[in-house]
Amino acid sequence: MSQREMLHNVSRETPGWTPIAEEAERAARVLHPDRHRMPRPTHRRVLTVANQKGGVGKTTSTVNIAAALAMHGVRAMVIDLDPQGNASTALGVEHRLGTPSVYEALLGEIRLADAAVRSTASPDLLCVPATIDLAGAEIELVSMVARENRLKQALYDGSLAELGVDYVFVDCPPSLGLLTVNALVAASEVLIPIQCEYYALEGLGQLLSNIDLVRSHLNTALHVSTILLTMYDGRTKLADQVTNEVRGHFGPTVLRTVIPRSVKVSEAPGYSQTVLAYDPGSRGAMSYVDAAREIAERGARMDVPIDQDGR
């Protein structure tokens, strides 16, 4: 049963329920976040957002979920590990050449806390930007000692405690190179966005194999905790087939919320904004708030340390 069907079943038991009333309630959660605060996690969560296929909504999902959490009372941080710097752009953070960034933090030249800046999306949302320097980082990291652990060392030098964040999202490049490996070693959880199209499933096996390799040799705490279905088009049978296949294989790991195809979601980065800021009443914005709430509610139920430094 889809999330929308579940909501309808619950809502219809409420006197005076109408579809318009239900949509109005969803919009109110976006437009009035102070009245609909999300729970903080039992422990700090570090999630790597990974998928080597481009165009699946990875960066879009990263920034909008982080922004939704921050708007609803949860302190979040995005680490932009993609040399293209799209997450930095969407969060309204400066990432010109020479800006203190994740590149210098990986090389150990600055602390991660010194590169983190506040996003224009929310006072409770921080971003560690990526500059064009990051494009050459994989080559530079090859000759370094413990090259797969550079981001982990940067994260756990006390920066996270100093910044006081509840959630850290690491936005990876669309590849399975050394930067992505660093992100997988540094995190305890993986969030995989999957586009509701056939080709999006190709290569997923390779990603899961790489995650298993990292778990076996570099990070035993790593696991796929969240799968998010994106770019859902209810007019096509294929979207439903992909959705059913993914849910059937991964079960409760898949969020109930599905992100629909939305022009507003695509337009927002062009204005250096998240869709929550660009058009908070849109279906895309409301869906990302619903997805963030699911993630927050799962985090509030966790009763074991999930951050590698045990905080």
Side-chain angles (χ1 to χ4, degrees):
M1 182 179 293
S2 69
Q3 182 199 31
R4 183 172 291 275
E5 290 171 337
M6 293 173 65
L7 286 173
H8 282 183
N9 288 343
V10 173
S11 300
R12 287 188 177 119
E13 297 173 3
T14 304
W17 174 88
T18 65
I20 295 176
E22 180 187 325
E23 290 301 320
E25 183 180 350
R26 292 183 73 207
R29 292 200 293 268
V30 180
L31 296 170
H32 304 287
D34 52 316
R35 303 177 193 171
H36 303 275
R37 295 177 72 84
M38 297 182 187
R40 296 179 63 187
T42 55
H43 297 84
R44 184 180 299 121
R45 300 179 67 183
V46 181
L47 297 93
T48 285
V49 186
N51 193 326
Q52 78 273 23
K53 186 180 186 303
V56 300
K58 179 171 52 59
T59 296
T60 300
S61 297
T62 301
V63 298
N64 283 295
I65 288 173
L69 288 167
M71 290 173 62
H72 292 80
V74 181
R75 192 166 173 82
M77 179 170 73
V78 171
I79 297 176
D80 191 353
L81 209 61
D82 187 343
Q84 297 178 81
N86 292 335
S88 305
T89 299
L91 294 176
V93 171
E94 183 62 65
H95 59 104
R96 290 181 299 178
L97 189 65
T99 303
S101 68
V102 70
Y103 170 75
E104 288 82 9
L106 286 173
L107 297 185
E109 296 176 358
I110 63 173
R111 297 178 66 243
L112 196 73
D114 297 329
V117 294
R118 185 173 286 111
S119 166
T120 57
S122 169
D124 285 325
L125 179 56
L126 302 175
C127 177
V128 179
T131 63
I132 192 62
D133 285 331
L134 194 59
E138 294 212 34
I139 298 174
E140 295 183 55
L141 289 173
V142 167
S143 61
M144 291 188 174
V145 176
R147 60 192 180 188
E148 301 91 354
N149 290 279
R150 304 300 296 188
L151 182 60
K152 179 180 178 180
Q153 292 171 3
L155 273 175
Y156 302 110
D157 65 352
S159 289
L160 293 185
E162 181 179 327
L163 295 170
V165 293
D166 300 306
Y167 282 85
V168 178
F169 295 91
V170 185
D171 184 39
C172 296
S175 70
L176 295 175
L178 197 49
L179 288 176
T180 299
V181 171
N182 262 267
L184 293 174
V185 172
S188 54
E189 302 180 59
V190 184
L191 188 162
I192 304 177
I194 298 179
Q195 186 179 4
C196 293
E197 293 184 2
Y198 172 75
Y199 288 124
L201 298 177
E202 291 191 338
L204 183 59
Q206 183 61 50
L207 173 61
L208 295 175
S209 295
N210 280 40
I211 291 172
D212 284 338
L213 283 172
V214 172
R215 183 191 300 117
S216 299
H217 301 286
L218 298 167
N219 179 7
T220 56
L222 186 67
H223 66 285
V224 178
S225 66
T226 311
I227 292 177
L228 175 65
L229 293 165
T230 64
M231 302 184 186
Y232 176 82
D233 187 344
R235 299 170 299 178
T236 66
K237 290 183 179 179
L238 179 61
D240 283 330
Q241 289 172 355
V242 172
T243 299
N244 292 335
E245 286 289 332
V246 173
R247 292 194 188 281
H249 188 75
F250 294 101
T253 302
V254 187
L255 294 182
R256 296 188 305 274
T257 302
V258 174
I259 308 301
R261 279 196 176 276
S262 168
V263 173
K264 298 299 182 182
V265 170
S266 302
E267 288 177 349
Y271 295 87
S272 297
Q273 292 180 328
T274 63
V275 70
L276 280 77
Y278 179 66
D279 191 348
S282 66
R283 289 177 62 225
M286 290 188 286
S287 295
Y288 273 118
V289 170
D290 290 343
R293 187 171 297 279
E294 274 195 72
I295 291 171
E297 289 173 351
R298 290 185 182 189
R301 293 194 299 266
M302 290 181 174
D303 56 2
V304 295
I306 48 181
D307 192 13
Q308 291 183 355
D309 60 358
R311 296 181 186 278

